Structure formats: structure tokens, C-alpha cells
Amino acid sequence: MSDWRAEDGALSVILPTLNEEENIIPMLDAVLSLYPRARIIVVDDSSTDGTQEKVLAYSRSNPRVSLIERDPGDKGLTASIMDGLVMTETPYFAVLDADFQHPPEAIGDLIDEIEKGNDLVVGVRNDRRKLPFARKISSWGAHRMASAYLRFKGQPGSKDTMSGFFSGRTDVCRKTILEHFGKFERQGFKALFDLLKFAPRDLKVSEVGFEFGERRGGTSKLNSKTVLSIMNQCGIVGKGLAIATSFFLLSMLGRFVTAFILGLFTTLLFLTMTGQPWRNIEVFPMILSFLLAIGYVVISNEFLSGKRRGNGLIRGIKIVFTAFTGFLINLGLFYAIATELPEFQIMPMFLGFGIAASYDTLGCIMHSD
Ligand code: GDD
Ligand code: MN
């Protein structure tokens, strides 16, 4: 193709949407002013705000824009992208979020890479520092795991397997989708990872860096279920890890049990390491005080700092407050029940309890973000 920008019918931009009424019209305007010859396919999953009405009204006066209204019983970001790709009639496509986190200006860079002979071009996020803490670790963990899985399977990989911004040759990607239709994680968030998993091994993949922006309006739809669904995509090992993570890290009971064992075990370890002569007799009060104090931390975290309760500093203060009062309860109970007053136990208990409280806080934040 000589110049895709000047050619009619070279590029389709696929925009998956779920309640994006604040962003969709500015996004359509932005894409069309940058690439006036492109077509746009909005794939909407029964948004309950005005997204669909807005797109329909827009498409009436602008035939380059079309709307796919998906079956409400088959919701899913990956399923939406698959549908968009199956409906694409142009040789090139680009998928990007409708909330401006993926800059429409960068679509051109991705398509230029396809013109150089690549089949799939991934938009790699340059600056992920702005992501919230929990999101950063889950994104990193999910990427590591997905990469290892792809390498193990001998499949092509990418520096950012979790990216939602990519483009490619429609024929190659559509063939992959149609041949492996049932194996895609349709409810998942990571259509790119599915594509890499099932693409031909000799797929030519290229990458282009971009600045990952802030969402313009509305809210994100990503949550811990999404992260679990990525693990579920990574074979039997991944499925096992998903079950373990959802119990040990995300469920309240699992966090309680794990934090308790972790806290008690590390305390005993620190006591031993510092050569302190703790005797069997002190273990029972320690177990009891840990049980109650960890229970307090798990419940307070759940209700004070979990589920998007406050942001940044306020949340940080609540977390430290919970952990510290938990430690005082632990210590108070221990000394109330223990027959002697072995003062030397404070430091190991402080450390052990701190580890347990941090573990619970981490799980609590992960399951809420
Ligand atoms: N059709 C459809 N169905 N669209 C959806 C759905 C769905 O179930 N869920 C979300 N979307 C749309 C949103 O409207 C938005 O346009 C885009 O998909 C991304 O959704 P966000 O809710 O903004 O996701 P995010 O910003 O948290 O996640 C982004 O970054 C991830 C990497 O950290 C996305 O780009 C992900 O694909 C990406 O993996
Ligand atoms: Mn977003």
C-alpha cells in the first residue's frame, strides 16, 4: 500500500466501549481529524449511559463510523475486540481504549510499522509509574507470567503483553481468531495476549512506545477478577495459581489464615535468630494474641482501607493506624496472658506482626483496585 493515510479503506480503528459517554464523541472527533480516511468501529457492551445513542447519532451524519451493539449475555472486552476484528473490512486495524489513555496520535506510528512488513504491532507503555501501586504489581506479575508462558510455548512475545493498544494486519489476526475462537478468554481484558498465544509462531511482531495517559472521564472497569482471568489463561500452572491467589490473597478468610501463619512463623523465626530463650510456655499466649490481633487487622482493613476507601495519604494513614493498633492489641494480649513478662520479645513480635499486617494490606488493596 503506497500511503495508507491517503487511501480510503486502509485502516479501521476499533474502539471497545462500556459506559464511555463522556469520552466517546471527543474520541471519534480526534481519530477522524487525525486520520480522515479511517473507519471507526465502536463495539459497545450494552452501556447504560448514553454511549450507544451518542455513537448512533454521530454515525448518521458520518458514515465512517459504525456501531456494533453486543449481546448483553456475552459481555467481555476480549469478546468485543474479537467481534470488531471479525467485522473489519480494511487490511489494517488498530485497537485502542476509548478513554484517551492510548493517544490517538500514536495510531499512525503503529500502522507505519505494519507497512514495514510486520503482522502485529504492540503499543508499549513507556511510563507506568502513574499506575496505582496495586495495579503496578498485578500488571507486572501478569506480564511476567504471560511472557513466561509464551516463551514456554514457543510463541511470539512482547515487552508489554498486557497492553490494550495494538494494531495489525486484519487477515492474519482474523485467521488466528477464527481458528481458535473457543480458546480465547472472551470475558478477559487481554485480547493481545490471546492473539500472541494462538498466532502462527513466525508472526512478525514489532513494538512502538507510547505515553500511557490518564483516563479523561468516567471510571476504569478493570478489577482483580480481570487479573485472575489472565492467570487462568496460562495453562494448568496458571489455573492453579489463580485459585491459590484468589483464596490466599483475595478472600478475607484466606488472608486471615495466611497472615496469621506468616506472622507467627516469622516472629518465632526472629526470636530464634536473635537467640532469645523463648520457651514452649510462651507459644500459646503468642498464638492467641496473634489470632485475635490479626483478626482485628483483617476486618479493619477490609472496612477501612479496602474497596476504594479513600485515596493516597488518607488511605495510607488508615493502613498504618490499623497495623499499629493491631500490634498494640497483640502485645497487650500477649502480656496479659503470658505468665512472665519477657520484654525481649517486643522487637521480633513487632517485625513478625508487621509482615502479617503488610500481607493483609497488600491483599486487601489488590482485591479492591
Ligand atoms: N465492549 C466492552 N466491554 N468494552 C469494555 C469493557 C467490556 O466489558 N470493559 C472495558 N471496556 C472498554 C472501556 O470502555 C475502555 O474504552 C477500554 O475498554 C479500557 O477499559 P478501562 O476500564 O479504561 O481499562 P483500564 O484503563 O483499567 O485498562 C487498560 O489498561 C490495561 C493495561 O494496564 C486497558 O487498555 C487494558 O486493555 C490494558 O490491558
Ligand atoms: Mn482506561
Side-chain angles (χ1 to χ4, degrees), residues 125-192:
R125 290 167 289 166
N126 282 338
D127 185 5
R128 281 171 249 180
R129 273 172 299 178
K130 275 183 249 139
L131 286 177
F133 174 68
R135 181 73 188 268
K136 217 182 296 178
I137 7 180
S138 42
S139 173
W140 178 85
H143 168 69
R144 286 279 96 183
M145 196 158 150
S147 288
Y149 183 78
L150 290 172
R151 213 171 310 125
F152 173 72
K153 290 268 171 183
Q155 287 296 105
S158 159
K159 278 202 226 70
D160 196 355
T161 37
M162 299 296 121
S163 180
F165 184 27
F166 58 96
S167 72
R169 301 184 60 89
T170 311
D171 51 358
V172 179
C173 296
R174 181 169 33 216
K175 190 159 178 273
T176 302
I177 290 180
L178 294 177
E179 279 172 6
H180 303 270
F181 202 83
K183 290 187 232 142
F184 274 58
E185 180 90 3
R186 292 174 62 78
Q187 267 80 58
F189 240 58
K190 309 296 168 185
L192 173 66

Side-chain angles (χ1 to χ4, degrees), residues 20 97-102 135 189 212-217 219-222:
E20 296 289 0
D97 292 356
D99 60 359
F100 286 92
Q101 289 196 275
H102 301 151
R135 181 73 188 268
F189 240 58
F212 191 51
E214 308 261 354
R215 168 175 266 281
R216 238 187 228 182
T219 50
S220 166
K221 284 94 202 170
L222 189 126

Side-chain angles (χ1 to χ4, degrees), residues 15-320:
L15 292 171
T17 54
L18 179 59
N19 296 334
E20 296 289 0
E21 69 167 353
E22 290 179 47
N23 302 315
I24 191 65
I25 300 300
M27 182 48 93
L28 296 175
D29 283 340
V31 172
L32 287 177
S33 75
L34 286 159
Y35 315 100
R37 309 227 165 236
R39 299 187 195 167
I40 303 181
I41 305 175
V42 178
V43 198
D44 188 80
D45 255 338
S46 349
S47 290
T48 48
D49 63 0
T51 307
Q52 292 202 355
E53 292 73 12
K54 289 196 166 158
V55 175
L56 277 179
Y58 199 101
S59 69
R60 264 178 229 122
S61 57
N62 198 324
R64 293 186 175 278
V65 176
S66 54
L67 171 71
I68 303 181
E69 293 175 46
R70 300 199 64 254
D71 170 7
D74 179 38
K75 281 193 174 187
L77 180 49
T78 295
S80 302
I81 294 171
M82 289 165 79
D83 283 4
L85 253 161
V86 171
M87 306 290 275
T88 299
E89 289 169 348
T90 57
Y92 304 155
F93 75 89
V95 176
L96 85 160
D97 292 356
D99 60 359
F100 286 92
Q101 289 196 275
H102 301 151
E105 298 77 23
I107 298 174
D109 303 339
L110 269 66
I111 305 299
D112 288 340
E113 282 297 298
I114 301 178
E115 292 258 280
K116 289 183 195 156
N118 292 295
D119 300 314
L120 184 71
V121 184
V122 181
V124 173
R125 290 167 289 166
N126 282 338
D127 185 5
R128 281 171 249 180
R129 273 172 299 178
K130 275 183 249 139
L131 286 177
F133 174 68
R135 181 73 188 268
K136 217 182 296 178
I137 7 180
S138 42
S139 173
W140 178 85
H143 168 69
R144 286 279 96 183
M145 196 158 150
S147 288
Y149 183 78
L150 290 172
R151 213 171 310 125
F152 173 72
K153 290 268 171 183
Q155 287 296 105
S158 159
K159 278 202 226 70
D160 196 355
T161 37
M162 299 296 121
S163 180
F165 184 27
F166 58 96
S167 72
R169 301 184 60 89
T170 311
D171 51 358
V172 179
C173 296
R174 181 169 33 216
K175 190 159 178 273
T176 302
I177 290 180
L178 294 177
E179 279 172 6
H180 303 270
F181 202 83
K183 290 187 232 142
F184 274 58
E185 180 90 3
R186 292 174 62 78
Q187 267 80 58
F189 240 58
K190 309 296 168 185
L192 173 66
F193 178 41
D194 283 296
L195 272 172
L196 290 168
K197 255 170 91 175
F198 301 115
R201 296 212 166 141
D202 58 358
L203 187 85
K204 289 196 209 73
V205 183
S206 168
E207 302 183 314
V208 173
F210 75 96
E211 296 308 316
F212 191 51
E214 308 261 354
R215 168 175 266 281
R216 238 187 228 182
T219 50
S220 166
K221 284 94 202 170
L222 189 126
N223 56 32
S224 53
K225 282 201 202 81
T226 322
V227 180
L228 289 180
S229 90
I230 300 161
M231 293 185 170
N232 267 320
Q233 279 172 277
C234 294
I236 186 90
V237 180
K239 286 202 172 68
L241 272 173
I243 295 171
T245 307
S246 92
F247 178 71
F248 290 112
L249 198 61
L250 303 181
S251 89
M252 224 170 134
L253 177 68
R255 283 207 313 275
F256 172 68
V257 173
T258 318
F260 168 66
I261 294 172
L262 193 68
L264 193 67
F265 175 76
T266 44
T267 303
L268 295 179
L269 188 75
F270 291 137
L271 283 171
T272 312
M273 268 165 45
T274 48
Q276 307 204 34
W278 53 280
R279 292 173 299 270
N280 282 343
I281 195 84
E282 285 148 24
V283 173
F284 173 70
M286 198 175 279
I287 291 177
L288 197 64
S289 62
F290 256 96
L291 258 182
L292 295 168
I294 297 285
Y296 159 82
V297 168
V298 170
I299 292 170
S300 328
N301 268 344
E302 180 78 14
F303 293 106
L304 282 179
S305 33
K307 303 238 157 63
R308 298 169 204 270
R309 297 247 151 73
N311 276 322
L313 188 64
I314 301 290
R315 208 183 194 192
I317 291 171
K318 284 187 199 162
I319 288 168
V320 172

